[in-house]
C-alpha cells in the first residue's frame, strides 16, 4: 500500500473508506482550557488530517464541529473530505435512545451527518440525564442491554493484538486503535504501572535512524499494519509531528522488532467498572 499525506484511506466493507491517521480529541475537561480543541482541530486540518475522532462525553464536540465548519467556510475542505467518528455514551444504549442521541450529537456538531457512530464502551449505565448515574453509595448504576456492535480496540506496540487483527483481517474488518501513543497516563483511568510506550529504547533507536520520534515510529508501525490510529494532541507541534509519518517506512525486520515489543498490557483497563456484567477486557479478544 502506498501511503501518502494526501492519500492514506483504507476501504471499508460497506464501500466507504477511512483515513489511517486521525486526530484524537479527548482531554480532561477540568484541565483543558476552553477553545483548545477548536484550535487543535483547525491546526490538524491545516496540517492535512482528514479524520477526527470525538465523542459527546468529551464535552468538546461543539468545538470539533465548529472547527470543521470554519474550515469548510474558509474553503480549505469540503464536508465529504472529513471523516468524523462520534460515540454513543453508556447511558444511551437502549435501542430507542440511539437515534435521538445521534441527533443530539449532530445538533452539537451542527453537521448533517457523522461518518461513523460507535458504541463508546460496551458497558451500559442507567439511562437518564446523569452522565455518570450513581447510587447513594456513589457507585455507578449499571444497566442491562443487548449488545451487538463493532467496537474500538486499544492497539499499539505494547498491545499488538495479533489474534484480533488476524480475525478482523479474515472478516474484512478495519480496526481503529485507540491510545496509539500509550495515553496521557492520567492515573484516574490509565494503568500507569505499565511502562511509558514512548520511552521504549527500540522505538527510539529506530526513530533515530530515520530522524523520527518514538511517537512517529509507533504511529507508522500501526498504519503499516493497516490499523487506523487516532493519536490525541492539542499541542500544535505534536499535532504536526504526528502527521509526518508518510515520508518514511519501516522495513520488515523493524516491523517484526516492534511486534516483538508486545507485552499484552492494556493502558486503559477501566478496572473501576470490572464488576459490570459486560466488562469487555476479561475476554481473550
Ligand atoms: P498533548 O496533547 O499535550 O500533545 P494517545 O493518543 O495514545 O491517547 O496519547 C495522547 C497523549 O500523548 C497526550 O497526553 C498527548 O499530549 C501526548 N502526545 C501526543 N503526541 C505526542 C508526541 N508526538 N510525542 C509525545 N507525546 C505526545
Amino acid at each position: 500500500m502506498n501511503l501518502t499525506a494526501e492519500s492514506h484511506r483504507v476501504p471499508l466493507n460497506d464501500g466507504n473508506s477511512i483515513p489511517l491517521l486521525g486526530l484524537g480529541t479527548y482531554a480532561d475537561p477540568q484541565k483543558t482550557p476552553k477553545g483548545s480543541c477548536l484550535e487543535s482541530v483547525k491546526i490538524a486540518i491545516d496540517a492535512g488530517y482528514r479524520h477526527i475522532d470525538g465523542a459527546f462525553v468529551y464535552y468538546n464536540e461543539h468545538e470539533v464541529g465548529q472547527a470543521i465548519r470554519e474550515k469548510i467556510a474558509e474553503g480549505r475542505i469540503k464536508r465529504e473530505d472529513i471523516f468524523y467518528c462520534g460515540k454513543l455514551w453508556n447511558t444511551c444504549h437502549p435501542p430507542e435512545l440511539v437515534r435521538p442521541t445521534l441527533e443530539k450529537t449532530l445538533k452539537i456538531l451542527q453537521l448533517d451527518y457523522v461518518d461513523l457512530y460507535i458504541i463508546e464502551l460496551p458497558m451500559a449505565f442507567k439511562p437518564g440525564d446523569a452522565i455518570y448515574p450513581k447510587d447513594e453509595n456513589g457507585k455507578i448504576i449499571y444497566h442491562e442491554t443487548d449488545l451487538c456492535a463493532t467496537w474500538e480496540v486499544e492497539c499499539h506496540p505494547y498491545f499488538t493484538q495479533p489474534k484480533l487483527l488476524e480475525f478482523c483481517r479474515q472478516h474484512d474488518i478495519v480496526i481503529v486503535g485507540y491510545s496509539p501513543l500509550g495515553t496521557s497516563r492520567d492515573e484516574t483511568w490509565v494503568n500507569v504501572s505499565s511502562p511509558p510506550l514512548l520511552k521504549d529504547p527500540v522505538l527510539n533507536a529506530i526513530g533515530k535512524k530515520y530522524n523520527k520520534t518514538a511517537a512517529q515510529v509507533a504511529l507508522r508501525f500501526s498504519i503499516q499494519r493497516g490499523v487506523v490510529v487516532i493519536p490525541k494532541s492539542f499541542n500544535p507541534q505534536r499535532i504536526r509531528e504526528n502527521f509526518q509519518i508518510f515520508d518514511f517506512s519501516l522495513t520488515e525486520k523493524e516491523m517484526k522488532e516492534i511486534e516483538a515489543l508486545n507485552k499484552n498490557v492494556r493502558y486503559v483497563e477501566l478496572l473501576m467498572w470490572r464488576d459490570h456484567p459486560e466488562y469487555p477486557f476479561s475476554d481473550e479478544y
Side-chain angles (χ1 to χ4, degrees):
M1 200 183 337
N2 186 21
L3 304 171
T4 66
E6 293 76 29
S7 165
H8 52 271
R9 282 179 172 254
V10 284
L12 298 173
N13 60 22
D14 66 353
N16 287 302
S17 62
I18 182 169
L20 276 165
L21 176 63
L23 180 77
T25 59
Y26 174 72
D28 184 340
Q30 314 277 359
K31 298 186 196 142
T32 311
K34 289 202 181 357
S36 339
C37 178
L38 170 67
E39 280 317 305
S40 301
V41 174
K42 290 201 289 188
I43 289 167
I45 292 173
D46 285 344
Y49 289 73
R50 293 294 178 265
H51 170 180
I52 314 289
D53 181 86
F56 167 76
V57 81
Y58 298 172
Y59 297 96
N60 58 13
E61 212 172 22
H62 57 291
E63 294 188 23
V64 174
Q66 186 180 340
I68 294 173
R69 284 182 288 105
E70 281 184 23
K71 287 292 156 190
I72 293 173
E74 267 177 34
R76 180 170 280 273
I77 47 163
K78 297 203 240 8
R79 172 64 189 90
E80 57 268 32
D81 298 332
I82 294 288
F83 186 98
Y84 179 72
C85 172
K87 304 188 187 85
L88 182 78
W89 180 237
N90 303 8
T91 53
C92 310
H93 282 201
E96 67 278 10
L97 293 183
V98 175
R99 192 182 176 101
T101 309
L102 170 60
E103 280 165 359
K104 194 162 143 197
T105 280
L106 293 176
K107 259 200 193 131
I108 291 170
L109 289 164
Q110 293 183 47
L111 295 176
D112 298 335
Y113 65 91
V114 297
D115 299 85
L116 178 64
Y117 196 55
I118 57 175
I119 295 176
E120 172 110 30
L121 290 167
M123 297 177 283
F125 296 171
K126 185 181 143 241
D129 288 339
I131 288 184
Y132 294 96
K134 292 187 179 147
D135 66 16
E136 57 284 3
N137 302 315
K139 188 180 182 315
I140 293 278
I141 309 171
Y142 300 150
H143 188 73
E144 267 189 40
T145 40
D146 175 19
L147 191 81
C148 53
T150 36
W151 125 264
E152 288 182 318
V153 181
E154 177 174 338
C155 197
H156 48 67
Y158 281 178
F159 197 59
T160 53
Q161 305 254 38
K163 199 170 166 189
L164 179 70
L165 197 57
E166 189 45 41
F167 176 87
C168 289
R169 275 191 189 131
Q170 277 170 14
H171 293 274
D172 212 9
I173 298 168
V174 174
I175 293 186
V176 178
Y178 61 65
S179 308
L181 300 177
T183 78
S184 60
R185 299 183 70 78
D186 174 339
E187 54 197 30
T188 60
W189 57 277
V190 176
N191 164 14
V192 287
S193 66
S194 42
L197 180 67
L198 299 186
K199 294 236 165 76
D200 185 90
V202 171
L203 295 180
N204 280 284
I206 294 176
K208 214 165 180 191
K209 173 177 160 194
Y210 294 106
N211 203 14
K212 294 284 172 187
T213 63
Q216 290 168 318
V217 173
L219 296 175
R220 179 74 206 186
F221 166 72
S222 286
I223 65 165
Q224 250 179 257
R225 301 171 90 209
V227 172
V228 180
V229 281
I230 45 170
K232 177 267 169 181
S233 181
F234 282 0
N235 170 289
Q237 196 188 323
R238 289 192 285 275
I239 292 172
R240 292 186 192 108
E241 173 185 324
N242 295 344
F243 199 76
Q244 301 306 313
I245 58 171
F246 300 105
D247 54 356
F248 77 114
S249 60
L250 298 166
T251 63
E252 234 169 85
K253 183 165 164 272
E254 287 160 346
M255 289 295 287
K256 290 230 156 62
E257 260 180 85
I258 300 174
E259 260 163 46
L261 297 177
N262 184 28
K263 299 182 193 303
N264 277 328
V265 288
R266 284 181 189 275
Y267 287 111
V268 186
E269 287 187 300
L270 304 180
L271 289 176
M272 63 285 199
W273 299 326
R274 66 177 171 270
D275 60 340
H276 194 292
E278 298 288 352
Y279 180 77
F281 301 140
S282 316
D283 296 343
E284 202 188 334
Y285 276 100

